[in-house]
Amino acid sequence: MTIRVVIADDHPIVRDGLAVLLSTLPGMQVAGTAADGREAVRAAVTLAPDVLVLDIQMPGMTGIEAAREVATAAPKVAVLMLTMYEDDESVFAAMRAGARGYVLKGAQQDEIVRAIRAVAAGEAIFGPGVARRVLSYLTAPPQGEPFPGLTRRERDVLDLIAAGRTNTAIGAHLTLAPKTVSNHISSIFAKLQVASRAQAIILAREAGLGRSTDVPE
């Protein structure tokens, strides 16, 4: 299967260099390029690539903002961040925006290609340094009461969502009707400002939730 890729970066050397590299590889096709975030969103919608490679800092609209719009307007497009920024804020903002992968520009070419193939296949992938940071956050004990804006029941529901439980399992465990579970989830999404279950899971696990293992799936 050919993987169609759109590359968005405001630096022509990076953008064109990656485009040349990918065009020489079997199973890869460069469907288009973009020089800013707005162009990236437009290309994701109109060209419907398998993967959108995004830089974070771009004129007009950042990669984070672009990823968030793509998650809504073209949810089948897998977003891979390729950037020089490795700070915690950038990494987790990208994940919350819907990015499936995060690789630094200093990575070897084969690592970048491997990341593109991985996100196209539905996997989540991080560069080595980024992966260590993500694992550290996910395994760290929670500090204080997470998400004070949520009610106790909403926090219980979010904890079970982060543990990978279905709505049916959540309702059975908490003795809630399916409609009530759905209402709680809608409220949680609104309060956390996330657009999908996957984004809510990432945010919850960052805060140490999702450790419940005694609830049937």
Side-chain angles (χ1 to χ4, degrees), residues 92 126 131-141 201-209 211:
F92 288 104
F126 308 94
R132 285 192 294 271
R133 181 173 288 108
V134 171
L135 287 174
S136 176
Y137 264 74
L138 295 182
T139 58
I201 289 173
I202 291 171
L203 198 60
R205 288 182 178 173
E206 285 179 33
L209 300 183
R211 302 176 188 276

Side-chain angles (χ1 to χ4, degrees), residues 11 26 32 39 52 55 58 64 68 88 95-96 100 109 121 132 146 149 154-155 162 165 171 183 216:
H11 293 92
E39 285 184 11
L52 172 62
D55 190 9
M58 291 188 291
I64 302 294
R68 191 175 295 118
D88 292 346
M95 296 302 101
R96 286 193 292 270
R100 291 187 190 171
Q109 290 182 342
R132 285 192 294 271
E154 288 170 347
R155 197 175 293 110
R165 300 308 185 250
N183 289 340

Side-chain angles (χ1 to χ4, degrees), residues 7-58:
I7 304 163
D9 197 298
D10 60 327
H11 293 92
I13 293 178
V14 175
R15 184 177 67 243
D16 298 341
L18 184 56
V20 169
L21 169 66
L22 296 182
S23 65
T24 65
L25 299 177
M28 290 278 185
Q29 177 188 349
V30 178
T33 60
D36 59 49
R38 184 59 63 189
E39 285 184 11
V41 174
R42 185 161 54 247
V45 173
T46 60
L47 300 177
D50 300 297
V51 178
L52 172 62
V53 179
L54 276 176
D55 190 9
I56 284 186
Q57 289 298 333
M58 291 188 291

Side-chain angles (χ1 to χ4, degrees), residues 81-168:
M81 290 296 183
L82 180 61
T83 179
M84 67 177 65
Y85 296 93
E86 55 180 325
D87 58 284
D88 292 346
E89 182 178 353
S90 296
V91 172
F92 288 104
M95 296 302 101
R96 286 193 292 270
R100 291 187 190 171
Y102 198 105
V103 179
L104 300 180
K105 285 185 175 179
Q108 297 295 317
Q109 290 182 342
D110 61 344
E111 183 181 342
I112 296 172
V113 172
R114 185 165 61 250
I116 291 173
R117 295 188 189 279
V119 298
E123 300 174 22
I125 189 166
F126 308 94
V130 176
R132 285 192 294 271
R133 181 173 288 108
V134 171
L135 287 174
S136 176
Y137 264 74
L138 295 182
T139 58
Q143 302 295 321
E145 191 74 40
F147 310 115
L150 300 182
T151 66
R152 167 55 62 184
R153 180 59 79 192
E154 288 170 347
R155 197 175 293 110
D156 291 341
V157 171
L158 180 59
D159 182 46
L160 294 172
I161 290 174
R165 300 308 185 250
T166 64
N167 287 13
T168 300

